């Protein structure tokens, strides 16, 4: 399961975002370091389920299907707010950064309203562009610190063994950075690591961060009147990043209202289904939410997690089955499992993900939609339904 990390300074709505993504209550407070230990929960990537296309009723096991939308679980980590100097230990920064080691991608949560300063304290007209700059710098410097620990010794070892990739992989082992990521990052560097300067190593840390920890910028509190101009500034300043206007508070309010049976959500809209539970104050709140949804199309929260997996991590959804005609497993469950896999994953790779023996004794696979036989090297497509044929018992 790929892991997504929520990163931001204190008091930007990060814990509210976590709750909106995971429906698991985390402590929410209007003061720095509300979150001392990382909150871990399960969020959901959403994708159109093939059940509607096939005209079948599915029985999901590892995920859930609601109105033809498959909800696929992923792990979400929310750590305490970072402040400038976190990589040097300010605000318990090293601990909080270390909590993010295993994350595959980050959602950088910033306060688009501009009402919190760099430390997360209330203020006026603060520029969220500065937040993104310092947060990226903190992560770069954190990776740089891990990379350069005992560097002279490491450089000599790499020179002797003539395998800089292996040495760097070992040094960065806790950061979930692959050998392929390292090869791409050092491609234009001098072959002799002993010659690498401090500037070279800092640039390498930045490259590794970009390649191995891609980020989405969540411009949170987008419902505030001052947010629109700041969102445009963020998009202008960070053209290489996906910037999504979000209101975690509105998303959480909608989830709680739906859970209470007050509303029914329909895509990115909703309708009130129990008028008896709605007072005048709530009606005004719902009108306010309707206006926000008309303006931005959604609360942005689900879009953040979907685009993190589909756009940044280049993943697709595939459905392994035992019976290619009924699209079922051995127990007769229709479209039982949804797997998130990287684009480029082959039929044989999928067999190994299901079970090692299936991969070892792979014979061929069947594309259940097209009812055709496919080979080990067939690259899976989004929403493929695949039967693995293996000699495994």
């Amino acid at each position: 399961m790929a892991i997504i990390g929520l990163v931001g300074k204190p008091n930007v709505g990060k814990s509210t975002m976590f709750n909106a993504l995971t429906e698991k209550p985390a402590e929410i407070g209007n003061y720095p370091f509300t979150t001392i230990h990382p909150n871990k929960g399960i969020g959901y990537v959403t994708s159109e389920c093939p059940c509607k296309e096939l005209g079948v009723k599915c029985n999901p096991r590892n995920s859930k299907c609601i109105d033809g939308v498959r909800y696929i679980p992923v792990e979400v980590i929310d750590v305490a707010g970072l402040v400038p100097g976190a990589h040097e230990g300010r605000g318990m920064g090293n601990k909080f950064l270390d909590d993010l080691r295993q994350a595959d991608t980050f959602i950088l949560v910033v306060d688009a309203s501009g009402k919190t300063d760099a430390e997360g304290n209330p203020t006026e007209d603060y520029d969220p562009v500065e937040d993104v700059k310092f947060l990226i710098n903190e992560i770069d410097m954190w990776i740089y610190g891990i990379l350069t620990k005992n560097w002279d010794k490491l450089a000599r070892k790499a020179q002797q063994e003539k395998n800089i990739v292996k040495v760097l992989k070992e040094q960065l082992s806790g950061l979930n950075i692959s050998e392929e990521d390292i090869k791409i990052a050092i491609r234009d560097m001098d072959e002799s690591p002993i010659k690498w300067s401090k500037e070279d190593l800092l640039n390498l840390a930045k490259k590794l961060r970009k390649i191995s920890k891609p980020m989405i910028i969540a411009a949170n509190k987008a419902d505030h009147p001052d947010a629109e101009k700041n969102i445009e500034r963020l998009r202008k300043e960070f053209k290489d990043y996906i910037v999504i206007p979000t209101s975690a508070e509105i998303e959480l309010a909608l989830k709680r209202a739906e859970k209470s049976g007050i509303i029914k959500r329909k895509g990115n809209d909703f309708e009130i289904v129990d008028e008896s539970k709605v007072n005048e104050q709530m009606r005004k709140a719902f009108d306010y939410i309707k206006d926000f949804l008309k303006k931005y199309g959604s609360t942005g929260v689900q879009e953040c997690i979907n685009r993190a997996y589909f756009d940044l991590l280049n993943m697709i959804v595939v459905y392994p089955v035992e019976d290619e005609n009924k699209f079922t497993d051995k127990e007769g469950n229709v479209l039982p499992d949804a797997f998130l896999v990287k684009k480029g994953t082959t039929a044989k790779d999928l067999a190994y993900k299901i079970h090692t023996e299936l991969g070892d004794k792979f014979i061929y696979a069947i594309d259940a939609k097209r009812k055709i036989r496919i080979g080990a090297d067939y690259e899976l497509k989004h929403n493929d339904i695949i039967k693995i044929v293996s000699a495994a018992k």
Side-chain angles (χ1 to χ4, degrees):
M1 185 189 292
I3 300 171
I4 196 162
L6 299 183
V7 184
K9 69 184 183 187
N11 201 19
V12 295
K14 212 159 38 60
S15 291
T16 307
M17 175 81 78
F18 174 83
N19 289 340
L21 284 169
T22 64
E23 301 179 39
K24 172 185 175 182
E27 186 179 1
I28 302 172
N30 190 29
Y31 52 93
F33 311 122
T34 303
T35 308
I36 300 296
H37 303 291
N39 291 307
K40 295 183 180 181
I42 300 298
Y44 295 90
V45 170
T46 58
S47 178
E48 188 175 343
C49 183
C51 64
K52 280 193 172 181
E53 172 195 344
L54 299 171
V56 297
K57 181 173 174 54
C58 58
N59 311 98
R61 296 190 313 171
N62 76 339
S63 47
K64 55 186 178 182
C65 182
I66 302 171
D67 297 330
V69 176
R70 188 65 73 115
Y71 289 74
I72 304 152
V74 292
E75 188 173 349
V76 182
I77 300 176
D78 165 36
V79 302
L82 300 175
V83 295
H87 71 279
E88 296 170 335
R90 281 202 68 226
M92 296 176 68
N94 282 326
K95 178 192 181 304
F96 300 153
L97 284 163
D98 284 347
D99 288 333
L100 290 168
R101 280 175 177 268
Q102 292 304 310
D104 300 281
T105 181
F106 293 146
I107 296 177
L108 223 62
V109 185
V110 298
D111 178 0
S113 74
K115 301 302 178 189
T116 46
D117 66 16
E119 307 282 338
N121 300 308
T123 190
E124 293 293 325
D125 300 322
Y126 184 82
D127 187 354
V129 166
E130 296 305 313
D131 279 353
V132 178
K133 286 179 179 177
F134 101 69
L135 287 165
I136 288 175
N137 182 64
E138 290 303 324
I139 295 167
D140 286 343
M141 294 307 296
W142 167 57
I143 295 173
Y144 173 78
I146 295 168
L147 175 66
T148 57
K149 191 174 182 181
N150 301 319
W151 176 251
D152 289 343
K153 182 181 175 182
L154 284 174
R156 287 194 299 273
K157 182 182 178 183
Q159 195 88 344
Q160 289 166 0
E161 296 182 2
K162 295 183 179 177
N163 194 341
I164 183 59
V165 174
K166 181 187 173 189
V167 171
L168 288 176
K169 179 77 169 68
E170 289 172 358
Q171 181 76 346
L172 302 167
S173 60
L175 290 176
N176 200 22
I177 296 175
S178 70
E179 285 193 10
E180 191 57 38
D181 292 339
I182 293 168
K183 285 176 185 175
I184 294 168
I186 66 171
R187 195 159 42 199
D188 298 325
M189 298 181 73
D190 194 295
E191 289 184 6
S192 174
I194 289 175
K195 296 179 182 177
W196 293 356
S197 65
K198 284 185 178 179
E199 187 179 356
D200 290 333
L201 290 166
L202 182 55
N203 286 333
L204 175 57
K206 290 177 180 179
K207 284 181 184 176
L208 287 167
R209 186 260 306 159
K210 286 179 181 176
I211 295 166
S212 69
K213 310 288 183 189
M215 303 178 187
I216 276 175
I217 298 170
N220 199 34
K221 305 186 184 180
D223 52 310
H224 192 280
D226 292 342
E228 192 168 0
K229 67 178 190 295
N230 288 326
I231 292 166
E232 289 310 308
R233 281 183 47 70
L234 286 164
R235 284 176 168 159
K236 186 177 179 181
E237 187 75 24
F238 302 102
K239 291 178 181 175
D240 293 339
Y241 290 81
I242 298 169
V243 178
I244 300 175
T246 64
S247 176
E249 201 167 58
I250 286 178
E251 177 65 28
L252 192 57
L254 287 172
K255 281 193 171 173
R256 287 173 175 171
E258 185 169 42
K259 197 172 183 179
S260 300
I262 299 170
I263 66 166
K264 170 71 175 174
R265 296 183 78 171
K266 293 184 173 182
N268 289 322
D269 199 1
F270 68 93
E271 64 176 355
I272 297 170
V273 293
D274 190 345
E275 292 282 354
S276 67
K277 294 180 179 179
V278 181
N279 58 33
E280 191 58 32
Q281 188 179 359
M282 289 173 68
R283 194 171 299 282
K284 285 180 181 178
F286 284 139
D287 288 343
Y288 177 82
I289 290 171
K290 286 269 189 185
D291 288 341
F292 179 82
L293 294 177
K294 280 177 187 173
K295 183 175 182 178
Y296 287 111
S298 75
T299 65
V301 172
Q302 187 63 51
E303 186 183 353
C304 280
I305 201 166
N306 279 0
R307 295 195 70 180
Y309 281 87
F310 294 133
D311 295 354
L312 296 189
L313 296 177
N314 290 314
M315 289 189 155
I316 58 172
V317 184
V318 296
Y319 297 81
V321 296
E322 291 275 353
D323 186 329
E324 70 273 25
N325 296 307
K326 296 180 180 178
F327 311 112
T328 59
D329 62 9
K330 285 179 180 176
E331 283 76 43
N333 296 304
V334 179
L335 298 172
D337 296 323
F339 280 32
L340 277 165
V341 299
K342 286 267 189 187
K343 282 181 184 174
T345 295
T346 64
K348 191 169 185 178
D349 292 334
L350 177 63
Y352 273 112
K353 284 180 183 294
I354 298 167
H355 196 284
T356 304
E357 193 179 9
L358 273 183
D360 287 341
K361 298 183 178 181
F362 180 94
I363 302 173
Y364 63 91
I366 296 172
D367 180 327
K369 283 185 184 177
R370 297 183 292 163
K371 302 294 187 286
I372 61 169
R373 179 169 166 163
I374 54 178
D377 295 334
Y378 169 81
E379 286 193 9
L380 302 174
K381 307 292 187 296
H382 182 65
N383 268 10
D384 269 353
I385 303 171
I386 302 294
K387 173 185 169 66
I388 303 295
V389 178
S390 168
K393 292 182 181 178

